[in-house]
Structures are given as C-alpha cells and as structure tokens.
Amino acid sequence: MIISMKRGATRDQIDHVCERIRGFGYKVHSIEGEERVVIGAVGVGDTTSAIEQLESTPGVETVMPISQPFKTVSRQMQPYKTVIRVNGCQIGGSDFVVMAGPCSVESEEQILTTAQAVKAAGAHILRGGAFKPRTSPYDFQGMEEEGLKLLRKAKETTGLAIITEVMTDSDVDLVLEYTDIVQVGARNMQNFALLKRLGAANKPVMLKRGLSSTLKELLLSAEYITSKGNTQVMLCERGVRTFETYTRNTLDLSAVPALSELTHLPLIVDPSHGTGRRSLISPMSRAAVAAGADGLMIEVHPCPERAFSDGAQSLTLENFGEMMAGLQPYVELWKKERG
Ligand code: PEP
Ligand code: MN
C-alpha cells in the first residue's frame, strides 16, 4: 500500500508511521518528495485492517492499496522516473543513452577497435559478452575472465563505461569487479537465484525481457532485484518469439509506452536481437526513440562476416556511424519533449 503523508507532516510522525508499517510485517520504501513524503509498504499482511489503522494515524493523509502485483517498480509507488547515473550519463533522465559493441568479446584488437569507433560515433557505453548464453553447446561460449579484462582495457583506453552479461549467481562477484552495468540476458530473466543475488549488488542491472515473457513477468522479475534493495534497474525490450520467421524475434515496441505506464524504471530497446537483421536496426532505432525509450543497445562488429556470434544482426563500424548520424534529429526531438 501507499501512504501519503500530509504536507508538513513532522519527522516524528513519519518515523511513527514507518514503525507501524514494520509492525504490520511490511517493508518500508520511503520516497521524500519536495512537497510531501510518500511511504510504500511492501509485503504480505492484513491489508484491510492495516489500511484502517494507518488512515487514522497522525500525519497521514491517504492510504491506498497497490493494485499491481509488482510493488516497488510500479508507477503507483513512484510516479517520477528512476534515473541511473553511469559515468556522467543519466539513464532515465536527460540523456538518450546508446550502448554499442560486439555480441561477444573476441580479441583485444576487435574490442579496442570497436570501442574507439562507437565512442567516436557518439555511444556512451560499450557492450560485449564475455559469458555467452548460446543455444548450442558447440557454439562459442565466450572468453570469460579474459574477455572481462579486455573490456576493462577498452574502458581505460576510451573512457566508455561497460555493460556485460552475467549468467550465473556464482559469477556475480567476478563480473561486478569489472563491469559498470550488469546485464541479465533474456534466457535468465527468471533465474530467481541470480536476480536475488543482484538485489544485493551495488551496481546497476539491465534486465532483458525473456523470450516469451509478458510485461507483468518482466516487472515481477525486476521486483526480485529492487525488493532486495538494489533499485538501480533498467529494463530492455529485445523482441519476443512469435510465428514470424523473417525476423529473428518480433520487436515489441508497444512495450515501451506500456511499460512507461506501469513502471518508473528506465527502458532500453535492443533492435539487434529484436530483429536479427542489420537492415532493420536503423529504422527500429528511430522508432524506439519516438516510442519514448531511454536508450538503445546495438551490436557492432568490425567485420560482421567473421563474428563469432550474431554477425547477421551486427552493424559494421561504418554502418553504426551512419545510424547514429541518422538518429540525431530524432534524439533532438526526444530531448525537447523531455524538457
Ligand atoms: C546479448 O545481448 O548478446 C544477448 C545474448 O541478448 P539476449 O539475452 O537478449 O538474447
Ligand atoms: Mn548477441
């Protein structure tokens, strides 16, 4: 439930309400706005009697149950958008963030060349997989820690922040040592042990939508992380499986405005996995900006025909530069709209 305190409620009154909430067996998520304090009470309990009692507690204006099954990530709980700060970039705020790089880290030369080129084209964050979730066990599985070291080197050389995937909770500590943002891949969206572990991490997490997951399932997975204390979570629409075979997945751009109604978390769109086709990345990126996304994740490779994974959907360095230039007018409009 959400407890709105009266304007001018005293600190003692706020503390007392928090104490009562905990007494009912709920966790407290307090949001101190400029005008008033709003307190979220999350958990299971006897809501009806708790609501009645809290309504007559001094300093309380209104008490409302949260109708959604997800709580801390819901717009009801926090009407304003979460802003995640990474390397001077405000994700969910005034910056339209572009994360770009190869599907997999393959060699020093490959990652450094890509990092320099995506930086020059205006990307903010370098992506690259060191632990790769591949459909076939015979396919390239990633360079693991060697790959993380190369990402670090690329970061030191270019100043770009990095995002990379972690596949299992036992690798979380290792990946956290190197990365600025932790990626949870589509196949792991419901790996609850991993999500809980990331709930205790002190780095931002990008949670990708599962291959056939509903928005509600995506938000409940995000709730696994935020309810454990890590509120720096962004969501990524990367396409869902449908009957269509021309594209690798069907990029569900309606997820962007739909999720914006439901949650305050920043929203990233990945047209690379969402379409699986190089030629569709640019138009779908522009559409993502227009739909109100907070950023993009794009796969880029110096020589896609030699890529160890996802070559068909990877832009060349040159393609990426063109795509970024073409996106600029759309980003300008986006910025005007954000104010
Ligand atoms: C990736 O980003 O390289 C990746 C494996 O994405 P997804 O989890 O969306 O398939
Ligand atoms: Mn990929």
Side-chain angles (χ1 to χ4, degrees):
M1 68 196 123
I2 299 167
I3 298 97
S4 257
M5 300 298 293
K6 289 183 177 149
R7 273 181 204 215
T10 64
R11 179 50 51 192
D12 279 354
Q13 288 175 330
I14 296 165
D15 291 345
H16 178 63
V17 169
C18 292
E19 217 171 280
R20 293 296 317 273
I21 293 169
R22 289 193 193 95
F24 287 119
Y26 295 96
K27 274 193 184 158
V28 170
H29 289 262
S30 171
I31 300 158
E32 313 236 342
E34 274 174 23
E35 292 193 354
R36 68 178 76 231
V37 173
V38 175
I39 305 166
V42 182
V44 278
D46 182 359
T47 320
T48 321
S49 76
I51 288 178
E52 278 173 11
Q53 291 191 25
L54 286 167
E55 269 173 343
S56 47
T57 305
V60 172
E61 184 149 278
T62 57
V63 182
M64 281 202 331
I66 303 176
S67 51
Q68 307 284 15
F70 38 89
K71 311 290 180 190
T72 59
V73 304
S74 79
R75 274 273 188 198
Q76 280 180 305
M77 178 81 102
Q78 183 185 304
Y80 59 88
K81 199 140 188 166
T82 286
V83 177
I84 300 175
R85 290 177 174 78
V86 179
N87 205 15
C89 198
Q90 299 196 15
I91 310 172
S94 53
D95 296 312
F96 185 82
V97 66
V98 178
M99 312 180 188
C103 180
S104 303
V105 180
E106 298 169 4
S107 68
E108 179 165 337
E109 196 195 337
Q110 175 241 22
I111 195 68
L112 289 182
T113 312
T114 312
Q116 269 147 0
V118 299
K119 177 165 184 173
H124 308 89
I125 293 166
L126 175 68
R127 67 145 285 148
F131 293 92
K132 293 304 303 175
R134 304 305 302 282
T135 302
S136 165
Y138 304 115
D139 287 340
F140 177 61
Q141 303 287 309
M143 290 181 78
E144 304 188 341
E145 191 169 4
E146 264 325 288
L148 296 175
K149 286 186 178 154
L150 294 180
L151 282 169
R152 175 181 278 170
K153 193 155 194 189
K155 173 181 169 156
E156 284 164 3
T157 318
T158 58
L160 288 171
I162 52 184
I163 177 168
T164 197
E165 177 163 356
V166 67
M167 283 170 52
T168 163
D169 46 321
S170 55
D171 288 333
V172 167
D173 287 332
L174 175 69
V175 173
L176 282 174
E177 252 183 66
Y178 290 89
T179 199
D180 297 293
I181 306 174
V182 187
Q183 174 173 324
V184 176
R187 291 155 192 81
N188 264 322
M189 190 201 84
Q190 289 188 316
N191 179 341
F192 300 121
L194 177 62
L195 301 178
K196 283 183 194 171
R197 174 65 192 81
L198 290 171
N202 61 358
K203 294 229 167 127
V205 176
M206 186 178 85
L207 178 64
K208 297 188 96 175
R209 183 181 182 179
L211 276 68
S212 353
S213 297
T214 63
L215 300 183
K216 184 169 147 189
E217 287 162 342
L218 172 61
L219 290 166
L220 283 168
S221 286
E223 186 85 18
Y224 265 93
I225 307 171
T226 54
S227 64
K228 291 272 175 213
N230 185 355
T231 54
Q232 300 188 87
V233 177
M234 62 196 99
L235 305 176
C236 179
E237 165 57 39
R238 47 77 73 205
V240 288
R241 181 161 290 187
T242 68
F243 49 80
E244 184 52 69
T245 53
Y246 183 69
T247 44
R248 178 178 178 181
N249 289 294
T250 296
L251 185 65
D252 177 12
L253 278 182
S254 71
V256 175
L259 284 168
S260 298
E261 289 176 2
L262 295 169
T263 182
H264 50 82
L265 300 178
L267 306 171
I268 307 298
V269 170
D270 170 357
S272 305
H273 295 87
T275 67
R277 284 180 176 264
R278 188 176 306 128
S279 61
L280 304 182
I281 310 301
S282 214
M284 295 317 280
S285 296
R286 297 197 290 262
V289 177
D294 298 290
L296 290 167
M297 169 168 268
I298 311 277
E299 286 187 339
V300 181
H301 195 283
C303 182
E305 78 178 68
R306 289 180 189 273
F308 293 0
S309 57
D310 288 350
Q313 67 194 36
S314 298
L315 298 181
T316 62
L317 308 182
E318 198 187 354
N319 291 157
F320 181 69
E322 288 160 6
M323 187 225 99
M324 289 293 278
L327 200 64
Q328 206 44 45
Y330 295 80
V331 173
E332 294 302 323
L333 276 176
W334 179 97
K335 285 196 170 152
K336 258 191 209 155
E337 210 166 277
R338 291 271 165 133

